[in-house]
Amino acid sequence: MSEQSAQPEYRIEDLAHLSGATVRTIRAYQDRGLLPRPERRGRSNVYGDAHLARLRQIADLLDRGYTLASIKELLEAWDTGRGLGGVLGLVAEVHGPWTDEEATRISRAELDARFGGTPDEEAIREAVELGVLERIPGRETEEYLVPSPQELAVAAELHAAGVPLPAITGHLKELRGQVEHIAARFLEFTTEYVFARYLEHRPPSDADADEAATMVRRLRPLAQQTVDAELARAMRLFATRHLQIHLSQDAPPPKDDEPRPVALPAGTIRAVQSLVGAEGVAAFVTAATEREVHKRALDALASKQSTGA
């Protein structure tokens, strides 16, 4: 720190320590134009509070999922006087909680007790990997953060009803892929019809960003409300059909042209979506299945011909 200046001054090592960034990262930000060049004092480079604030701003945006290229555009807008307050407010609105549910903590002993009392290290590992549990370091006893107590409660109820833990984890992985697909489609839909007009300029003005943040608050519950209503409708429909099949031997079989649910691995859905887009997944899977069925039918005919059958 310089004693001759009223403003704090830092060496690059001091700036790295205060900001949490490495010296190498600071220099990389300078090279990419994300961080202003330091002032030269003799043989030393001197940084100030503006550099420290900029580094913390970059770190916050990175934590929210923004790329360095996007951050550079936002910061350039700020530096040219176009403002950044509204954009950061929009970022905070989108990044904020999308549920009223509050995270809780649970000890390992409580966790084992809720799932039958027998420790299962593999189940814990998978739960942590899926984000159902988050390890809390530095505790004398093993303790976990539970981001969604409802999700953990559902798992405990299913296990108490006789569903094995590996089956519960597999179901969650499959369900997560399908829900992520629904979320992506809802965002594409609302962006096309609602948010495109606010985001056509990069970055948007403060006024547009403020209006977009207001729309996020208004539309945030709509996706869950729609899914809740459609899930209730679908559960009633399919539960009734399943019950008819299991209770009556004379129950009519499903019609050949009637759509039926088929569970596909989440990885398969994502791979197909990357090829044809979300709207083309069903058509692609249908076409691929029909092609495989036709191929096997032709192979069977050719095999019969070659064997003289």
Side-chain angles (χ1 to χ4, degrees):
M1 299 281 290
S2 170
E3 296 180 357
Q4 299 177 349
S5 173
Q7 297 295 325
E9 295 179 351
Y10 313 104
R11 299 172 301 166
I12 192 168
E13 294 82 6
D14 300 324
L15 187 65
H17 174 72
L18 291 169
S19 66
T22 65
V23 169
R24 182 177 179 180
T25 297
I26 292 173
R27 288 179 174 146
Y29 287 168
Q30 289 175 184
D31 293 340
R32 298 190 64 157
L34 290 163
L35 193 69
R37 292 285 177 179
E39 186 177 343
R40 191 74 176 175
R41 296 278 181 84
R43 296 183 178 179
S44 301
N45 289 326
V46 176
Y47 298 83
D49 276 345
H51 294 91
L52 181 59
R54 175 60 57 89
L55 285 172
R56 289 172 174 166
Q57 205 169 48
I58 294 171
D60 179 62
L61 290 169
L62 285 172
D63 286 343
R64 297 177 188 272
Y66 283 76
T67 64
L68 288 177
S70 298
I71 292 171
K72 185 177 181 181
E73 288 185 0
L74 291 173
L75 295 177
E76 284 175 349
W78 173 267
D79 290 339
T80 55
R82 281 184 282 160
L84 191 58
V87 173
L88 292 180
L90 176 58
V91 169
E93 191 66 47
V94 171
H95 192 262
W98 285 67
T99 174
D100 294 333
E101 193 175 14
E102 295 184 2
T104 59
R105 296 188 177 201
I106 189 170
S107 69
R108 177 58 188 271
E110 292 171 329
L111 192 59
D112 290 341
R114 290 187 68 177
F115 287 88
T118 304
D120 189 329
E121 298 302 327
E122 179 62 19
I124 293 290
R125 185 193 65 77
E126 288 197 335
V128 171
E129 185 178 313
L130 287 167
V132 177
L133 299 174
E134 295 178 8
R135 298 185 188 276
I136 301 178
R139 309 288 296 183
E140 293 183 2
T141 58
E142 195 172 349
E143 193 172 351
Y144 297 89
L145 181 72
V146 185
S148 173
Q150 290 180 4
E151 193 168 52
L152 187 65
V154 168
E157 286 292 335
L158 289 172
H159 186 259
V163 183
L165 286 175
I168 295 173
T169 337
H171 175 71
L172 176 58
K173 290 177 182 178
E174 178 186 334
L175 180 65
R176 182 167 293 182
Q178 294 168 346
V179 170
E180 286 176 356
H181 171 69
I182 293 172
R185 288 294 297 121
F186 188 79
L187 287 173
E188 290 169 5
F189 170 77
T190 52
T191 297
E192 179 181 358
Y193 292 101
V194 178
F195 293 106
R197 61 180 177 268
Y198 300 118
L199 305 176
E200 58 184 349
H201 302 295
R202 299 184 58 185
S205 67
D206 274 359
D208 283 345
D210 286 340
E211 286 190 40
T214 300
M215 291 303 299
V216 169
R217 285 191 292 274
R218 285 179 56 189
L219 299 182
R220 178 179 289 167
L222 299 188
Q224 183 173 349
Q225 290 169 5
T226 304
V227 171
D228 285 347
E230 283 301 307
L231 180 61
R233 182 198 63 80
M235 285 298 298
R236 180 181 180 185
L237 175 65
F238 289 112
T240 301
R241 290 180 184 174
H242 276 279
L243 189 60
Q244 290 173 347
I245 291 170
H246 286 284
L247 293 184
S248 173
Q249 295 180 352
D250 300 326
K255 299 178 182 178
D256 289 340
D257 60 349
E258 184 178 347
R260 306 178 198 176
V262 177
L264 293 176
T268 301
I269 295 294
R270 285 194 291 269
V272 174
Q273 188 171 333
S274 68
L275 289 173
V276 299
E279 67 283 352
V281 171
F284 182 91
V285 172
T286 301
T289 304
E290 290 176 349
R291 185 175 66 178
E292 181 64 20
V293 170
H294 293 159
K295 178 180 178 298
R296 293 191 182 192
L298 291 173
D299 288 346
L301 289 172
S303 177
K304 285 183 179 181
Q305 179 66 28
S306 63
T307 59

